[in-house]
Amino acid sequence: MKALWRRLFVAVGGYIRATDRYLWAIALTLSGISVLLLLGLLNTGYATRTQLATQLIAACMGIAAAVILSNLDYHVLAGLWKLYMPACLLLVLLTFTPLGVVRGDDQAWLSIPVINYTIQPSEFLKLAFIFTFSLHLERVRGEVNKIPNLVKLCIHGAIPVLLIHLQGDDGSAMIFLFIFVCMIFAAGLDIKYILWAAGAAVLVAPLVWFFVLTEDQKERFLIFTNPASDPTGKGWQQYQGLLAIGSGGVSGTGIFSGQHVYVGEARNDFIFTFLAESLGFLGCLGLIALFMALCIKILWNSTRAEDPLGQFLCVGVFAMIAFQVIINLGMCLSVLPVIGVTLPLLSSGGTSVLTVYISLGIVLSVYHRSRINMFIDT
């Protein structure tokens, strides 16, 4: 038995020495903050024990998945896309069946009858898309700006965006779009195409406003600049969020004070408002610094990748996390409309937490391969 424990200790020590310790430290710190915030919300009555347990289980499963994936070759993982991409697409399509669960205007969740649980398939589709799009970009590297290749890449990117838009989950659709833009830009897309796309977006915007957006979506855009104009209606959530953020002051009221402004979805999309109230302005700065460090570390790993595939994978994960942080904080601070985007690793939600850890496992796989080859080369 002692020999078994010794081997286990040696294996864990070896992994810690070889892995990206900084990335792990940031991710685990964010998960620790999430658990503390959910405990505070539980103490205040704004969260349940089940939600806290789900967060802990998802984090533990995600950590285990990240450890496993980090020890696998990302080339092999990418090569298995014919298995997981159809599976992810099937799960998304099942949301349009009676198994789909509607929350608000979104039919983006899938009910699992046996265990009485719901998952959000679009989260898994993000990872599958990052893999398949990375493979596509690697195959056409150096020739991205050729029109036939560019058209195929745009079609590749448009499929998940349109599919998730049909679910009504435009927040997730925008994340897919941002991942697409960042990855194709990293592959060497000519700036002229970006300028053309920006110009086309400006021209199309009126058509989208009048013929695509629903009345509810229009109201969200109109209200976010001044939530106080409708504090009991469409602007209620953001108005309450601003009250919570403002009441936090410089150092906050404390996570377990028990006296907090009620904000809708404070455990989920608006968990930042609870953190701001509990830990104040200093806590907000600390959280933003952690997310900036996480994103910078992922980008740094992309520069150390042994090949374009590893680089594109890291850029895709960076885009997914960075855009979610920007949109979520923008919603909470009322500089962007509420579109239902979680704050990575902090917001309550099993699927979201698991997806982020899996994505970090991919980045760690790229890091491990680059270190192995670095030592081989020397």
Side-chain angles (χ1 to χ4, degrees):
M1 182 61 70
K2 288 184 178 180
L4 179 62
W5 279 106
R6 181 177 298 176
R7 282 199 295 268
L8 180 61
F9 182 79
V10 171
V12 172
Y15 178 83
I16 293 174
R17 286 191 297 271
T19 193
D20 188 341
R21 294 185 294 276
Y22 298 106
L23 192 66
W24 270 117
I26 297 168
L28 293 176
T29 299
L30 288 169
S31 282
I33 294 171
S34 174
V35 172
L36 282 175
L37 293 175
L38 287 174
L39 282 170
L41 286 163
L42 177 63
N43 180 62
T44 311
Y46 299 159
T48 65
R49 293 182 182 276
T50 300
Q51 291 161 353
L52 176 61
T54 299
Q55 191 80 347
L56 285 168
I57 293 171
C60 291
M61 290 176 60
I63 291 168
V67 171
I68 294 171
L69 290 172
S70 66
N71 283 290
L72 299 177
D73 188 341
Y74 61 89
H75 298 91
V76 175
L77 295 173
L80 297 174
W81 69 270
K82 293 181 180 179
L83 297 177
Y84 51 75
M85 177 53 91
C88 290
L89 288 172
L90 177 61
L91 289 175
V92 172
L93 291 173
L94 284 175
T95 62
F96 297 101
T97 71
L99 291 176
V101 176
V102 179
R103 295 180 182 175
D105 298 325
D106 306 345
Q107 190 167 342
W109 285 265
L110 188 63
S111 175
I112 310 297
V114 178
I115 58 176
N116 192 28
Y117 190 70
T118 59
I119 61 172
Q120 191 172 3
S122 61
E123 293 292 327
F124 300 123
L125 186 61
K126 291 175 188 174
L127 301 176
F129 174 69
I130 289 172
F131 267 120
T132 57
F133 201 60
S134 295
L135 286 169
H136 195 162
L137 289 172
E138 184 188 41
R139 189 164 61 247
V140 299
R141 66 182 184 274
E143 298 180 344
V144 173
N145 292 297
K146 291 186 176 180
I147 298 301
N149 290 334
L150 190 56
V151 170
K152 292 176 182 177
L153 288 168
C154 288
I155 293 173
H156 191 157
I159 292 173
V161 172
L162 294 175
L163 188 59
I164 302 305
H165 168 71
L166 292 175
Q167 286 185 326
D169 188 3
D170 289 327
S172 294
M174 289 176 64
I175 294 171
F176 277 100
L177 181 60
F178 191 74
I179 294 171
F180 165 79
V181 171
C182 287
M183 291 180 70
I184 199 170
F185 180 76
L189 181 67
D190 196 311
I191 190 67
K192 67 181 181 183
Y193 292 118
I194 297 177
L195 294 176
W196 288 352
V202 172
L203 294 175
V204 172
L207 297 176
V208 173
W209 179 265
F210 289 108
F211 301 106
V212 177
L213 296 182
T214 64
E215 288 303 318
D216 179 69
Q217 291 170 327
K218 291 178 183 179
E219 289 178 2
R220 290 186 187 185
F221 274 97
L222 293 172
I223 202 68
F224 81 88
T225 55
N226 185 20
S229 64
D230 188 16
T232 60
K234 294 293 183 181
W236 175 80
Q237 192 175 28
Q238 286 184 309
Y239 181 71
Q240 292 295 110
L242 289 176
L243 289 178
I245 293 171
S247 65
V250 176
S251 57
T253 61
I255 294 176
F256 300 102
S257 66
Q259 299 295 324
H260 292 279
V261 176
Y262 177 74
V263 181
E265 296 296 329
R267 66 174 182 84
N268 196 354
D269 297 350
F270 276 72
I271 197 168
F272 177 76
T273 63
F274 183 77
L275 178 140
E277 184 181 12
S278 301
L279 303 179
F281 180 70
L282 295 177
C284 294
L285 289 181
L287 181 69
I288 292 171
L290 282 172
F291 277 120
M292 288 181 63
L294 180 65
C295 292
I296 291 171
K297 193 65 181 74
I298 294 171
L299 278 182
W300 174 253
N301 287 349
S302 75
T303 66
R304 305 292 296 274
E306 66 174 0
D307 58 10
L309 178 62
Q311 176 188 354
F312 297 143
L313 288 172
C314 289
V315 170
V317 173
F318 158 79
M320 180 184 75
I321 293 175
F323 191 67
Q324 286 189 214
V325 172
I326 292 170
I327 292 296
N328 184 276
L329 297 186
M331 293 191 315
C332 294
L333 295 171
S334 292
V335 296
L336 291 173
V338 177
I339 53 175
V341 173
T342 58
L343 191 57
L345 295 180
L346 256 71
S347 293
S348 171
T351 311
S352 174
V353 172
L354 183 59
T355 300
V356 174
Y357 269 114
I358 291 174
S359 70
L360 294 179
I362 297 168
V363 175
L364 289 167
S365 175
V366 175
Y367 176 86
H368 283 188
R369 290 292 301 179
S370 66
R371 279 180 58 87
I372 290 172
N373 288 335
M374 178 179 67
F375 288 119
I376 291 175
D377 293 339
T378 56

